Amino acid sequence: MQLQQLVYFLAVADTRHFTRAAERVHVAQPSLSQQIKALERELGAELFSRARGNIALTDAGEALLPIARRIVSDTEAATQEVQELVQLRRGRVRLGATPSLCTGLLPDVLRDFHTRYPGIRLVVEEGGSRDLVRELASGSLDLALIVLPLQSHDPALDATPLLHEDLVVVTAADTPPPWPGPHVEVAELRDQPLVMFRRGYDLRELTVGACRAAGFEPRLAIEGGEMDAVLGFVEAGLGHAVVPSMVAGRRPRLRTTPFTAPGLQRTVALAHRKDAEPPRAARELRRVLLQHVRDRDCASRPGHPPA
């Protein structure tokens, strides 16, 4: 039994006329009649009574009619569902990102994506890079924004560097500047009270590593927070923190001091599994994200005003 045969059968059942049925489905009348006869042979019963030119459903035809309608309807619904996904009218993207990227980079990106594709549901998982890599490996995420280098190399992971971000020191804006100049050396953090992220946090590892490379252990005033908590503690005057520049710029109650050149940087990468191509909606989010980063880079270059 073929789907097209059921379509022809429904056309005849609705019009009770072979010629008009053929016109409805845009096929020659002899071809339609042949397909109906083939369907009847396969089912072992006549579907239409053709007495004196009057077309009527037989008992077998009456039994087949609701089933045929359901099959054709389900097929059309399935086709429409797939087309909507292909055309990005519906779907889901599961995106992982570190907390600082959720705060600094993602709001503008997700706003642009949602404006273009309002039917796509966005699911954002916030976590450290190592946790996000595990989520990718398990298939729980389609894409993840992570910080390089990873502590361990995963051969199943494809991580493409996305941007290099400057790290800065933030202090409470309503307190006196802790350093005289417009820049700060890592060595000048010695004996300064630092608000430190929880263990396993990418920024914690980077900050502690930079302090140790400068020959000292950081003095921790508070530790164990996530991004919003750390920024809130700094705003309250409880200590200083090393954070990404894009996060610091969104908090007017913070004073931002860049490091002396070459400064401190981190590399943000977009990762997905090598053995599984992300779904169409996730690929489109990746395109929007890459375009956003390119536009941001162009806007930050001298002689290129923001778009």
Side-chain angles (χ1 to χ4, degrees):
M1 184 184 302
Q2 299 177 10
L3 177 64
Q4 198 63 52
Q5 291 174 335
L6 295 179
V7 172
Y8 292 168
F9 164 74
L10 291 176
V12 176
D14 289 340
T15 62
R16 303 301 169 103
H17 197 281
F18 276 77
T19 300
R20 287 197 292 269
E23 292 173 352
R24 172 186 284 191
V25 296
H26 308 291
V27 67
Q29 190 269 330
S31 297
L32 181 140
S33 296
Q34 290 173 5
Q35 289 298 317
I36 294 295
K37 289 179 181 179
L39 179 61
E40 290 175 328
R41 286 196 299 271
E42 182 174 354
L43 294 175
E46 290 188 350
L47 300 173
F48 296 101
S49 171
R50 302 168 176 83
R52 298 181 181 180
N54 294 322
I55 306 299
L57 285 167
T58 63
D59 290 342
E62 292 284 1
L64 177 62
L65 184 61
I67 300 173
R69 290 197 191 282
R70 185 168 63 248
I71 292 173
V72 172
S73 177
D74 288 347
T75 302
E76 291 174 349
T79 301
Q80 180 67 23
E81 189 79 4
V82 172
Q83 287 178 345
E84 286 182 346
L85 285 171
V86 170
Q87 295 170 11
L88 296 171
R89 295 176 184 170
R90 298 180 58 188
R92 179 189 66 175
V93 181
R94 302 167 301 171
L95 173 67
T98 62
S100 58
L101 293 171
C102 285
T103 302
L105 177 65
L106 279 187
D108 290 339
V109 173
L110 297 187
R111 179 196 60 202
D112 292 347
F113 182 82
H114 182 69
T115 299
R116 299 183 194 187
Y117 309 108
I120 302 296
R121 182 164 62 96
L122 295 166
V123 180
V124 178
E125 178 76 20
E126 190 174 358
S129 292
R130 282 175 284 186
D131 293 336
L132 296 177
V133 168
R134 285 194 291 268
E135 294 291 321
L136 279 174
S138 69
S140 300
L141 294 174
D142 301 311
L143 302 170
L145 286 165
I146 61 175
V147 177
L148 300 179
L150 296 176
Q151 298 299 314
S152 61
H153 178 66
D154 188 339
L157 187 69
D158 185 4
T160 303
L162 191 65
L163 60 91
H164 301 288
E165 185 179 18
D166 290 327
L167 302 182
V168 298
V169 181
V170 290
T171 56
D174 59 359
T175 61
W179 304 282
H183 295 81
V184 61
E185 298 275 358
V186 173
E188 293 180 89
L189 297 179
R190 184 191 299 267
D191 298 326
Q192 292 288 337
L194 296 183
V195 179
M196 188 60 67
F197 298 95
R198 62 171 172 80
R199 294 186 183 277
Y201 214 88
D202 301 297
L203 286 168
R204 179 192 179 102
E205 305 303 326
L206 197 153
T207 302
V208 171
C211 292
R212 289 173 177 170
F216 68 95
E217 287 290 324
R219 180 166 75 87
L220 307 184
I222 300 179
E223 65 173 319
E226 299 283 347
M227 177 60 68
D228 284 341
V230 166
L231 295 177
F233 294 151
V234 174
E235 289 173 334
L238 298 174
H240 320 319
V242 177
V243 301
S245 57
M246 71 170 67
V247 172
R250 294 175 177 267
R251 308 287 286 238
R253 294 176 57 196
L254 294 176
R255 176 190 300 109
T256 300
T257 306
F259 285 99
T260 303
L264 290 182
Q265 286 189 330
R266 67 175 187 171
T267 300
V268 176
L270 184 61
H272 66 86
R273 292 176 54 174
K274 287 182 179 178
D275 59 349
E277 179 71 7
R280 173 67 187 278
R283 298 199 303 271
E284 184 61 17
L285 177 58
R286 179 173 60 190
R287 188 192 68 77
V288 172
L289 176 60
L290 292 173
Q291 185 61 53
H292 179 86
V293 171
R294 285 193 292 267
D295 292 344
R296 177 174 171 269
D297 289 343
C298 288
S300 65
R301 294 172 189 165
H304 290 80

